[in-house]
Amino acid sequence: MTVSRAFRQDTSVGKKTRDKILRIAENLGYVFDSTASNLRSQRTGFVAVTIPSLNNANFADTVRGLNETLLEYGLQILLGYTNYKVENEEHLIEQLLRRRPEAIVVTGGRHTRRARRLLENAGIPVVETWDIPQDPIGHIVGFSNADAMSQMVEHLHDVGARRPTFIGGDDNGDTRGADRRQGFVAAAQALGLDYHLLSLGAPPVSMREGARAMGEILDAQDGTDAVVCVSDLAAFGALSECQRRGVKVPEDMLIAGFGAFDISDISTPAISTIDAHAYEIGATSGALLAGLLRGDPPIPNTPTITRLSPALKVARSTSAKM
Amino acid sequence: MTVSRAFRQDTSVGKKTRDKILRIAENLGYVFDSTASNLRSQRTGFVAVTIPSLNNANFADTVRGLNETLLEYGLQILLGYTNYKVENEEHLIEQLLRRRPEAIVVTGGRHTRRARRLLENAGIPVVETWDIPQDPIGHIVGFSNADAMSQMVEHLHDVGARRPTFIGGDDNGDTRGADRRQGFVAAAQALGLDYHLLSLGAPPVSMREGARAMGEILDAQDGTDAVVCVSDLAAFGALSECQRRGVKVPEDMLIAGFGAFDISDISTPAISTIDAHAYEIGATSGALLAGLLRGDPPIPNTPTITRLSPALKVARSTSAKM
DNA sequence: GTGAAAGCGCTAACAA
DNA sequence: TTGTTAGCGCTTTCAC
């Protein structure tokens, strides 16, 4: 009936009729039932999103960026998190696809075989973020974690580091962390540095783990003069441990992080980091999808690659030794 | 047909038949369409959740607690954030209710009149969290922000504070912040302390704002000997500013936060805080809803009040002056 | 600008 | 254990 039209924007209904309908509906306490609408129109207005963790300001920023862009197009995020486990991701993707999202945004480029197949066969736009996968499923909005980390190692070399240690988590499930470690190793080797690697168990590697790692390093007295952390949270933990023990940063130890978390520029000293532009990853993905799903004329669905350039942010924690 | 039954847990289908159906479905790339199921069965499996901000470890923990409990009951969270604005909340609630969630969990007890009406008329269980509203809509899982803060002020008084300053944001939209301020004032007055209030604009009040506030306090030289912050993030910012200026904590300045964020016990010195049990708020709400929605026998839907007791965590940042 | 008929893909209820 | 019928509340299509 006309009521249906009145509840939509574009359709042709007499202004008076519409106002009357909406007023009566409000009084009746009627709430539009989108489940029926979704079924009939075959559009849910959902964009499914998977992130490793809710409790991470970087991914939260990406979701914010996505949400703010999608909101204008009447698209709503259906969010799930994987706890950095690809098996969880598979199950999550399966559940999300049942809800018939119009697109899906996943974090990272590594998936179980079945998850991959589900994504490929879903018949909706797929965006992989925070990474540049070798073998992309659909669109990409990401950056090279390895290159970004290499850049940091080069910077550390420039300011006098000769024996850097990398602090990160296990590789399982956290490809971004693994890529960062790999970038660290590649650069350290290229520069002929005597480097170390310290692994701290399953991600997320947080403040406490960073502190613990720094404790181990200082106990070992292995000559480490710089510490490169998989994230700013670990870096802050490491910094904190140094301060607890009276080790001066940057004089006696250089510390670098990743992610440009708030803590990196409020801590004393501020921590050098890589700004991966988390918000932009979301905003860019959102704009891409909005164009694909709501665009007039519809943009052809050929996979795009948006390669963002992380920014090296140098701060006091890696100031030149002299 | 039998296929429908095969995709559910409980129903009676021959084991062989079910396996065969599921196998064939997998090969065909069939994905169950829950939009149709939702419409017909009038159950979506959604629980709508609104939080002020994604970018806050406290609310993220609450959502985790909710999710982990609800997951077992086949319920999925439909998450939205309000940016601490009740007008946004109203719009968000309206959008979420269109999706026909089976329950809704909101943060706080203050809502626009229309949002209230929407919640009351939704015909589903409503849970208000992180607060003990005067005039509850449905269930409550929360605590008194004011009492918790009063407890902190009493502790500060015990360790020698005589002129505490409260650092928080504007009251608009952030009732929890406002309640904490009120608890601060109440306790300070009861103890006869000479207190100050510093307001920093719209929430969220984060690290940077905390640092700025501490800067103002130190510049003013108003005799402030203790700073009580609306959250640990602000408290850490304040601590950081002290360190930058060579003001010793706790010797020259006591600092207290709220929320038991990671930073509070990794910073040097560790920051005294209130653990509001964010995760438990979510887990408790989830268990309550699971019981209501999936419980056998169904629990009568009389509003419950679960009052949690925040824990005062004393750390070095408020150690006795002597 | 408005109405009538058909149907989206499931599941409830009943029958076999 | 399996099949049949009807219908969830919208939107699409077409007629007026």
Side-chain angles (χ1 to χ4, degrees):
Chain A
M1 84 145 132
T2 307
V3 176
S4 174
R5 280 189 264 260
F7 272 87
R8 281 177 287 168
Q9 316 291 343
D10 50 347
T11 45
S12 48
V13 183
K15 169 127 180 58
K16 283 196 167 180
T17 328
R18 165 171 283 146
D19 289 351
K20 190 174 166 190
I21 290 174
L22 293 181
R23 192 166 39 76
I24 295 176
E26 185 75 22
N27 289 340
L28 286 172
Y30 167 83
V31 176
F32 182 89
D33 187 337
S34 69
T35 62
S37 166
N38 296 339
L39 175 60
R40 174 65 239 224
S41 64
Q42 300 291 54
R43 305 179 90 186
T44 56
F46 276 136
V47 171
V49 179
T50 73
I51 54 176
S53 162
L54 270 184
N55 235 320
N56 179 302
N58 275 185
F59 299 128
D61 276 338
T62 295
V63 174
R64 271 199 316 118
L66 260 167
N67 198 47
E68 270 156 39
T69 322
L70 294 176
L71 217 55
E72 303 164 32
Y73 294 87
L75 294 163
Q76 185 169 56
I77 285 178
L78 196 52
L79 184 67
Y81 59 90
T82 66
N83 276 326
Y84 299 90
K85 300 212 185 73
V86 285
E87 315 86 62
N88 290 353
E89 193 203 38
E90 173 184 317
H91 184 245
L92 185 59
I93 288 174
E94 185 173 16
Q95 293 304 315
L96 292 173
L97 289 178
R98 289 178 163 213
R99 302 276 184 188
R100 293 294 185 269
E102 298 184 35
I104 182 164
V105 179
V106 299
T107 304
R110 208 181 114 223
H111 317 282
T112 65
R113 199 143 62 201
R114 203 169 94 85
R116 231 193 128 77
R117 191 157 36 78
L118 286 168
L119 291 173
E120 285 166 349
N121 296 338
I124 54 175
V126 174
V127 184
E128 290 171 286
T129 60
W130 275 90
D131 216 339
I132 308 280
Q134 296 299 319
D135 186 13
I137 297 173
H139 303 274
I140 298 177
V141 178
F143 63 94
S144 164
N145 284 274
D147 290 354
M149 206 42 127
S150 293
Q151 215 186 325
M152 179 62 89
V153 174
E154 283 155 19
H155 157 69
L156 287 170
H157 175 259
D158 288 348
V159 296
R162 289 301 171 261
R163 191 168 173 128
T165 294
F166 180 84
I167 297 179
D170 286 346
D171 293 0
N172 313 334
D174 185 15
T175 21
R176 290 158 297 289
D179 287 351
R180 289 173 203 167
R181 185 167 53 64
Q182 192 204 305
F184 169 87
V185 171
Q189 287 181 342
L191 294 165
L193 298 173
D194 174 23
Y195 66 90
H196 290 240
L197 300 172
L198 200 55
S199 190
L200 289 167
V205 175
S206 197
M207 293 182 180
R208 207 172 320 278
E209 287 76 37
R212 184 159 54 82
M214 183 54 95
E216 286 178 24
I217 290 168
L218 294 173
D219 287 343
Q221 302 194 350
D222 63 357
T224 290
D225 57 4
V227 150
V228 180
C229 300
V230 73
S231 91
D232 287 346
L233 303 181
F236 177 74
L239 170 60
S240 205
E241 184 65 23
C242 284
Q243 293 177 335
R244 202 168 294 124
R245 299 190 180 210
V247 173
K248 286 186 180 162
V249 178
E251 292 80 359
D252 305 330
M253 180 70 74
L254 303 172
I255 295 182
F258 199 107
F261 289 72
D262 281 353
I263 188 82
S264 74
D265 74 37
I266 207 77
S267 70
T268 326
I271 298 170
S272 293
T273 189
I274 304 268
D275 185 348
H277 307 304
Y279 182 89
E280 283 70 25
I281 290 177
T284 305
S285 303
L288 169 65
L289 290 176
L292 291 172
L293 298 173
R294 296 283 185 267
D296 280 322
I299 297 160
N301 193 357
T302 47
T304 59
I305 300 186
T306 307
R307 183 186 280 266
L308 302 177
S309 299
L312 175 65
K313 287 179 66 181
V314 175
R316 268 245 309 145
S317 76
T318 64
S319 292
K321 301 193 137 186
M322 205 46 45
Chain B
M1 84 145 125
T2 308
V3 176
S4 175
R5 280 189 262 260
F7 272 88
R8 280 177 286 170
Q9 317 290 343
D10 51 347
T11 44
S12 47
V13 183
K15 170 129 180 56
K16 283 195 168 180
T17 328
R18 165 169 285 145
D19 289 350
K20 190 174 165 190
I21 290 175
L22 293 181
R23 191 167 40 77
I24 294 175
E26 185 75 24
N27 289 339
L28 286 172
Y30 166 83
V31 176
F32 181 89
D33 187 337
S34 68
T35 61
S37 166
N38 296 340
L39 176 60
R40 172 66 238 224
S41 64
Q42 300 291 53
R43 306 179 90 184
T44 56
F46 276 136
V47 171
V49 179
T50 73
I51 54 176
S53 163
L54 270 184
N55 236 320
N56 179 303
N58 275 183
F59 299 127
D61 276 338
T62 295
V63 174
R64 271 201 314 119
L66 259 167
N67 198 47
E68 270 157 39
T69 322
L70 295 176
L71 217 55
E72 303 165 32
Y73 294 86
L75 294 162
Q76 185 169 56
I77 286 177
L78 196 53
L79 185 66
Y81 59 90
T82 66
N83 276 328
Y84 298 91
K85 301 213 185 72
V86 285
E87 315 86 62
N88 290 353
E89 192 202 39
E90 174 184 317
H91 185 244
L92 185 59
I93 287 173
E94 185 172 17
Q95 292 305 314
L96 292 172
L97 289 179
R98 290 178 163 214
R99 302 277 185 187
R100 293 293 185 268
E102 298 184 34
I104 181 163
V105 179
V106 299
T107 304
R110 209 180 113 224
H111 317 283
T112 65
R113 199 144 60 199
R114 204 169 94 86
R116 232 194 128 76
R117 191 156 36 78
L118 287 168
L119 292 173
E120 286 166 348
N121 296 338
I124 54 175
V126 175
V127 184
E128 290 171 287
T129 60
W130 275 91
D131 215 338
I132 308 279
Q134 296 299 320
D135 187 13
I137 297 173
H139 303 274
I140 298 177
V141 178
F143 63 93
S144 164
N145 284 274
D147 291 354
M149 207 41 128
S150 293
Q151 215 186 325
M152 179 63 89
V153 175
E154 283 155 19
H155 157 68
L156 288 170
H157 175 259
D158 289 348
V159 296
R162 289 299 171 262
R163 191 169 174 126
T165 295
F166 180 83
I167 297 179
D170 287 345
D171 293 0
N172 313 335
D174 184 15
T175 22
R176 289 158 298 291
D179 287 350
R180 289 173 203 167
R181 185 166 53 63
Q182 191 204 304
F184 169 87
V185 171
Q189 287 180 342
L191 294 165
L193 297 174
D194 175 24
Y195 66 90
H196 290 240
L197 300 172
L198 200 56
S199 191
L200 289 167
V205 175
S206 197
M207 293 182 179
R208 206 172 322 280
E209 287 77 37
R212 184 160 53 82
M214 183 54 96
E216 287 178 24
I217 290 167
L218 294 174
D219 287 342
Q221 301 193 350
D222 63 357
T224 291
D225 57 4
V227 149
V228 180
C229 301
V230 73
S231 91
D232 287 346
L233 304 181
F236 177 74
L239 169 61
S240 206
E241 184 66 23
C242 285
Q243 293 177 336
R244 201 168 294 123
R245 299 190 180 210
V247 173
K248 286 187 180 162
V249 178
E251 292 80 358
D252 305 331
M253 182 68 75
L254 303 173
I255 295 182
F258 199 108
F261 289 71
D262 281 354
I263 188 85
S264 73
D265 75 36
I266 208 76
S267 70
T268 325
I271 298 170
S272 293
T273 188
I274 304 267
D275 185 348
H277 307 306
Y279 182 89
E280 283 70 26
I281 290 177
T284 305
S285 303
L288 169 66
L289 291 177
L292 292 172
L293 298 174
R294 296 284 185 268
D296 280 321
I299 296 161
N301 192 358
T302 47
T304 58
I305 300 186
T306 307
R307 183 186 279 267
L308 302 177
S309 300
L312 175 66
K313 286 178 65 181
V314 175
R316 268 246 309 144
S317 75
T318 64
S319 292
K321 302 193 134 184
M322 205 45 45

